[in-house]
């Protein structure tokens, strides 16, 4: 039998502890499946004397993750600290330069620094594996890199932040406003220390940027991502969407268009009967469309100790078997700089606004839309007691830039209170 594959684990939070559990509990199974014994040589974390529910005294301790990454008895550096830069990036670079392979769950680091890290890894002849960085236990990275490698991808989309999906589905099922469910999610520990990473779409945007790079052969371009969070979604939006047969999801969509790479993470309406529309709670779902395979749907737990540790160990097992792949599916030097395309694909939109309750207000809005080449599919005005009337418009397919110009013109009419809200209706 080959020499054992020795891990150095930096970060002993939920996922790190899950990895230790699997290595300890499933030692024989892992050996049988990979042909190599998988062991842990050393670990590192912020706090040493903490009860984590698993014994760590069997392993050497390093206070400095860079020192851990360069130990002679470590073959694979498992980075589970998080953060785009700082110790995670420094230790990852040190590991690669020391001839170690890297397994990471760090989507921020890859979304921001992925190109440079990929170039370093490939120059050193080393691997960076990162299944756990996107959609928890769902094997979406492996699907794109391996199982679907014979396809030209046409669209990748999905719900990739379980906290946002929990908030939106909880609003719908309980009839509660956003602020109430946000606080509930916070009390349950679902939100990041900086909640904007979740509800602002940043966490999910990191994941989409990684998927887009693999699918379309481009350099990771998170800074070109269109981001919009769920903070402006009201319980009325949830109800009105349901009335029309839709559900609201924080949806990431990437496609290559004639004008360039479209990448956006934003609240969208999807058909209630579709797989995405039926997705409940903290579950994730990724939809991949290819020219040969058509559409496939991957669904599963997007976070948590077991699912994410499972993804980490899948990568470790691939390295143990000797599998070697370019970081983003093709050599990093061959990845192109994608031309960003801001929502170039036409779509129907849900448009909500509050109009002053006076004659001619609605006619002015209809005129503004017509002047910008936007036709109305459906329109509803709801009962009201205040001085403003809630109005809902569903447009025919149009380009977002035209709609943005129309909304700006609407505010200049003097009949709209506040800013109109527009949500894309995505065909799935």
């Amino acid at each position: 039998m080959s020499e054992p594959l020795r891990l150095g684990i930096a970060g002993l939070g939920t996922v790190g502890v899950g990895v230790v559990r699997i290595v300890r509990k499933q030692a024989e199974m892992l050996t049988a499946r990979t042909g190599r014994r998988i062991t842990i040589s050393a670990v590192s974390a912020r706090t040493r004397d903490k009860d984590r529910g698993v014994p760590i005294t069997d392993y050497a301790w390093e206070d400095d993750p860079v020192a851990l990454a360069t130990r002679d008895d470590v073959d694979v550096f498992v980075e589970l600290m998080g953060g785009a830069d700082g110790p995670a990036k420094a230790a990852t670079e040190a590991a690669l330069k020391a001839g170690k392979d890297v397994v990471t769950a760090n989507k921020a680091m890859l979304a921001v620094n992925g190109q440079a890290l990929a170039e370093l890894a490939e120059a050193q002849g080393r691997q960076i594996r990162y299944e756990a960085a996107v959609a928890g236990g769902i094997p979406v990275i492996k699907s794109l890199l391996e199982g679907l490698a014979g396809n030209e991808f046409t669209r990748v989309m999905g719900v990739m932040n379980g906290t946002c999906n929990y908030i939106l589905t909880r609003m719908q099922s309980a009839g509660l406003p956003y602020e109430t469910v946000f606080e509930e999610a916070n009390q349950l520990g679902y939100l990041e220390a900086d909640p904007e990473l979740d509800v602002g779409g940043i966490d999910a945007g990191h994941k989409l940027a990684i998927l887009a790079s693999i699918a379309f052969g481009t350099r990771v371009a998170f800074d070109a991502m269109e981001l919009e969070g769920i903070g402006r979604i009201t319980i009325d939006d949830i109800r009105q969407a349901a009335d029309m047969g839709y559900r609201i999801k924080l949806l990431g969509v990437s496609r290559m268009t004639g004008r360039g790479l479209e990448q956006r993470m934003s609240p969208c309406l999807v058909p209630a009967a579709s797989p995405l529309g039926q997705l409940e709670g903290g579950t994730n779902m990724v939809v991949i469309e290819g020219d040969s395979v058509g559409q496939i749907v991957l669904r599963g737990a997007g976070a948590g100790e077991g699912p994410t540790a499972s993804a980490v160990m899948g990568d470790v097992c691939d390295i143990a078997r000797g599998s070697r792949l370019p970081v983003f599916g093709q050599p990093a030097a061959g990845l192109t700089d994608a031309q960003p395309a801001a929502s170039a694909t036409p779509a129907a939109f849900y448009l909500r606004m509050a109009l002053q309750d006076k004659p001619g207000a609605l006619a002015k809005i209809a005129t503004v839309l017509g002047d910008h080449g936007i036709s109305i599919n459906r329109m509803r005005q709801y009962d009201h007691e205040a001085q403003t009337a809630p109005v809902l418009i569903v447009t025919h397919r149009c380009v977002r830039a035209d709609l943005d110009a129309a909304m700006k013109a609407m505010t200049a009419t003097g009949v709209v209170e506040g800013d109109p809200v527009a949500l894309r209706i995505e065909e799935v």
Side-chain angles (χ1 to χ4, degrees), residues 354-421:
L355 296 186
Q356 293 181 4
D357 191 7
K358 58 185 182 183
L362 194 55
K364 288 185 177 181
I365 297 304
T367 298
V368 167
L369 288 171
D371 289 344
H372 287 81
I374 299 169
S375 60
I376 297 172
N377 182 5
R378 285 184 276 175
M379 181 167 55
R380 292 184 185 178
Q381 183 169 335
Y382 289 85
D383 292 336
H384 60 284
E385 297 178 357
Q387 297 300 310
T388 58
V391 172
L392 169 65
I393 294 172
V394 174
T395 74
H396 284 290
R397 287 165 60 86
C398 63
V399 175
R400 180 63 195 247
D402 293 338
L403 184 61
D404 287 341
M407 289 194 294
K408 184 176 181 180
M410 287 176 193
T411 60
T413 63
V415 300
V416 179
E417 292 290 334
D419 295 326
V421 172

Side-chain angles (χ1 to χ4, degrees), residues 166 170 176 179-191:
Y166 168 82
R170 175 74 172 148
L176 295 172
E179 294 76 14
T180 300
V181 180
F182 175 92
E183 184 55 35
E184 181 182 281
N186 193 37
Q187 293 297 323
L188 291 169
Y190 291 171
L191 290 166

Side-chain angles (χ1 to χ4, degrees), residues 7-24 40 42-45 52-56 59 78-82 103-105 132 304-310 312-313:
L7 311 182
I9 303 174
L12 292 173
T14 300
V15 180
V17 167
V19 172
V20 174
R21 288 190 203 281
I22 293 175
V23 172
R24 295 178 70 91
I40 299 171
V43 296
S44 177
R52 295 176 167 87
V54 294
I56 61 169
Y59 318 124
V78 182
E79 187 282 303
L80 303 174
M81 296 177 288
V103 172
T104 181
E305 176 184 317
T308 312
S310 168
V312 170
M313 289 308 301

